[in-house]
Amino acid sequence: DAIGEHQQESYVNGKSGAIIIINKQEGSNSVEIARQIQALLPQIQENLPSDVKLSYLIDTSSFIVNTIDSLQETIIITFVIVVLVVLFFLGRWRATFIIVLTIPISLVASFIYLLISGNSLNVISLSSLSIAIGMVVDDAIVVLENVTTHIERGSYPKQAAVHATNEVGISVVASTLTMIAVFFPLTMVTGMTGVLFKQLGWMMCVIMVVSTVAALTLTPMLCSRLLRLQRKPSKAFRTFYHPIQRALDALDTGYARLLGWAVSHRRTMVLSCIAFFALSLLCAGYIGTEFFPQQDNGYITAKLELPVGTRKEVAQELAARLTNEWRQKYPEITVCNYTVGQADATNTFAAIRDNGSHIITFNLSLTKSSERKRSQAMIGDMMREDLKAYPEFTKTKVVPGGDNG
């Protein structure tokens, strides 16, 4: 066999390089595989010549990790906000404890469902938890408020818990069934949409049912044990809660006035609702549609085409000019890779993509979105403007977020 000439060349940050693409097997954990590969890179680097450097262009697992971390942070923040809001409006730490206890019980039930159904903690399941945290306390708040009202009227806590729960039990169940009627149809969706929303629907239904059961059983029991008639609050409590109480009283007064006006002007209210509904329908026609909202994963691809028959050397020279220009103009770029030339028969991955001596393919990796002021979409738009200064290209395509085609 004779030594063949390179038909396709790849460059990384302006220097000659090569790309190794690693795909996981079906059912494997992307994050775990990426961690193992990153741990192996230093060992492989030690056995390579000093002028050969190893690095990775794009790590798809980082996007998964960042998304999961963001959702976990959202869940924690949501939990804290719910606790503060409940304490703010109820004004009793015991009542707040009773309400907040519903949250972990409902969430633990969702974990049991995931285990039984064979699902995992992922973006969809964590999103379900984030949505449900603020909803699972609704029924418990209704029960607790009615129990508190009975206690303030002179009933014993145990009697108040029984009678108050009986009064609102049907309303609480009806409210839960209404929420289930919203989420349960998602469990019957098929296709790609079903993959996205079926787990969301089941988790929300399970969480809502468990939260209702807790509101009708656990909450009354805790109320009978923990709640007492608070005849005279302490001085420290009055000092802390008095401004909040004044604000809530002002809110009650304002709402009572607004409600009185609305009841007295029925025709105006009905016409206003109809006009608002018609306006919302009118605005809906101007809202764009897309399958997925664009996310900033710090990755941009570009495919640039020259006239058919252009020599590879010409394409390589233009690509090198663009590399220098973009790396200077956009400091957000950490890795700039481009490929020029026709793929040979042994390069299966490149052969299934559009390539040739007249085609340049760019793969750009950016810093984390939290570390830069410009989004990948903004940088992509600016790159499109840059390419207008190159009349040599017959066709250009810049895709923020990456292109599989």
Side-chain angles (χ1 to χ4, degrees), residues 228-403:
R228 297 291 182 271
L229 179 61
Q230 191 173 1
R231 300 185 181 276
K232 186 178 181 180
S234 63
K235 182 178 180 180
F237 177 82
R238 292 198 304 268
T239 303
F240 170 76
Y241 197 71
H242 183 65
I244 299 177
Q245 188 63 51
R246 289 183 59 184
L248 294 177
D249 291 341
L251 181 63
D252 288 340
T253 303
Y255 175 68
R257 292 176 181 175
L258 178 63
L259 185 60
W261 182 90
V263 172
S264 302
H265 298 78
R266 291 174 292 179
R267 181 176 299 177
T268 303
M269 288 300 301
V270 172
L271 293 177
S272 299
C273 291
I274 294 175
F276 185 78
F277 178 70
L279 181 63
S280 64
L281 292 179
L282 181 64
C283 294
Y286 296 94
I287 300 176
T289 58
E290 58 182 351
F291 183 62
F292 271 117
Q294 191 176 76
Q295 296 178 322
D296 194 330
N297 60 359
Y299 184 55
I300 298 177
T301 61
K303 187 175 74 172
L304 316 176
E305 294 187 19
L306 295 160
V308 177
T310 302
R311 292 186 298 113
K312 182 184 69 176
E313 291 76 12
V314 175
Q316 197 279 329
E317 181 182 353
L318 285 171
R321 285 170 52 189
L322 272 174
T323 298
N324 294 331
E325 178 182 345
W326 282 346
R327 291 187 66 194
Q328 293 178 5
K329 188 174 182 180
Y330 309 109
E332 297 90 345
I333 296 177
T334 56
V335 179
C336 179
N337 162 257
Y338 68 86
T339 304
V340 294
Q342 176 68 46
D344 55 31
T346 61
N347 192 340
T348 306
F349 180 80
I352 64 176
R353 302 168 66 92
D354 292 336
N355 59 85
S357 62
H358 65 293
I359 295 178
I360 306 171
T361 303
F362 273 94
N363 296 284
L364 307 169
S365 181
L366 309 178
T367 56
K368 294 181 180 179
S369 57
S370 59
E371 299 175 357
R372 48 185 160 87
K373 297 180 179 180
R374 296 183 289 195
S375 65
Q376 68 179 19
M378 185 182 302
I379 296 175
D381 291 338
M382 297 173 68
M383 287 179 173
R384 295 187 186 99
E385 293 298 321
D386 297 337
L387 292 173
K388 292 180 180 180
Y390 290 82
E392 297 93 338
F393 295 121
T394 59
K395 184 178 179 181
T396 61
K397 181 182 179 182
V398 178
V399 184
D403 183 16

Side-chain angles (χ1 to χ4, degrees), residues 7 29 51 96 101 151 166 198 201 207 262 277 286 348 404:
Q7 295 179 325
N29 190 312
D51 59 342
T96 303
L101 195 61
I151 292 176
N166 285 334
K198 183 174 291 187
I207 291 173
F277 178 70
Y286 296 94
T348 306
N404 295 326

Side-chain angles (χ1 to χ4, degrees), residues 41-62:
L41 287 182
Q43 303 177 22
I44 300 174
Q45 181 69 69
E46 293 177 355
N47 299 322
L48 295 175
S50 59
D51 59 342
V52 177
K53 304 297 181 183
L54 283 178
S55 64
Y56 54 90
L57 174 63
I58 179 172
D59 180 8
T60 56
S61 69
S62 62

